[in-house]
Amino acid sequence: MSGLDNLTAKILEDANKRASEITGAADDQAKSILDEATDEANRDKDRILTDAKTEAARAAEQVTLGKTLAVRDQNLDAKQQTLDKVFASALDSLNNMTEANFKKFLFAYLIALDPDGDELLLPEKFGVSVDDANAALKAAGKKGNLVKSSDSRTIQGGFILSKNGIEQNNTFESLVAFYRYELESEVLKLLY
């Protein structure tokens, strides 16, 4: 039986060798699959970390931009409030100027306009009459034929001219509102 034992031993040896080769190949394949999966997981991890850093930077930038815009809006609001106060103060000063200063303003303005036959509405508080205005116009070589307005509105300062139903509003409120837009940048330069 030694030949049969030898043959059996040879078959077992070949089977063990083949099993060892298959196990080795399977181990190598498993190691390769594991290495590939680990590499892919590391690439995914790096991509996820990069995406998270990018998103965090974007979120931080958005927060910073939001804060910057909020501060800018607060500054603009403060500047607008300051401008409102400056122009309100200027209007108050104009409406409360002395009678002498009002006459200088009125007569200079009327001389520049050179009205002809217009109705003139004046604030009562300055004590200036249409006759005073006509006298100033005539002294400047103008016609001086203004008439007292039949309108009974109360104005704080400045004056209103009207002719043939068309009104030219030169009240201080109207003048300040009209010139405010072009003066705002100059006022801001002075203040800031």
Side-chain angles (χ1 to χ4, degrees):
M1 283 239 202
S2 74
L4 188 55
D5 287 338
N6 282 338
L7 184 62
T8 304
K10 176 75 173 143
I11 291 173
L12 283 177
E13 183 183 324
D14 286 346
N16 281 336
K17 189 176 177 184
R18 182 72 183 135
S20 207
E21 287 173 2
I22 291 172
T23 304
D27 286 346
D28 288 346
Q29 188 176 9
K31 185 180 181 312
S32 175
I33 290 171
L34 183 62
D35 288 346
E36 187 177 315
T38 301
D39 289 346
E40 186 176 337
N42 284 333
R43 284 191 302 271
D44 286 347
K45 176 190 77 165
D46 291 343
R47 181 185 48 77
I48 290 168
L49 286 173
T50 300
D51 290 349
K53 286 177 184 175
T54 302
E55 186 59 34
R58 189 177 302 127
E61 185 178 312
Q62 288 295 324
V63 168
T64 301
L65 180 61
K67 296 289 184 184
T68 301
L69 290 175
V71 168
R72 185 205 65 186
D73 289 347
Q74 288 174 347
N75 286 339
L76 288 174
D77 188 46
K79 286 180 180 179
Q80 189 62 49
Q81 288 177 15
T82 301
L83 281 173
D84 290 344
K85 288 178 185 175
V86 166
F87 282 98
S89 177
L91 179 60
D92 188 53
S93 294
L94 288 169
N95 282 331
N96 292 305
M97 69 172 52
T98 65
E99 184 178 321
N101 284 339
F102 180 74
K103 282 182 180 181
K104 286 178 190 175
F105 160 79
L106 175 67
F107 298 157
Y109 214 109
L110 287 174
I111 289 167
L113 290 175
D114 193 18
D116 183 18
D118 293 45
E119 290 185 9
L120 178 63
L121 177 63
L122 294 166
E124 294 179 15
K125 69 181 180 181
F126 292 111
V128 181
S129 69
V130 173
D131 292 337
D132 296 333
N134 281 327
L137 285 166
K138 287 178 182 173
K142 308 294 181 180
K143 292 181 182 169
N145 57 358
L146 296 171
V147 294
K148 184 176 180 180
S149 175
S150 58
D151 198 344
S152 62
R153 284 185 282 172
T154 302
I155 59 175
Q156 295 296 312
F159 62 96
I160 297 174
L161 285 174
S162 60
K163 185 173 189 175
N164 299 327
I166 299 173
E167 197 172 82
Q168 184 180 9
N169 188 343
N170 294 295
T171 60
F172 291 145
E173 292 86 356
S174 176
L175 293 173
V176 167
F178 181 78
Y179 289 109
R180 178 175 175 154
Y181 178 74
E182 66 184 62
L183 293 175
E184 280 184 348
S185 62
E186 294 300 319
V187 171
L188 284 173
K189 285 178 189 175
L190 292 172
L191 293 174
Y192 299 101

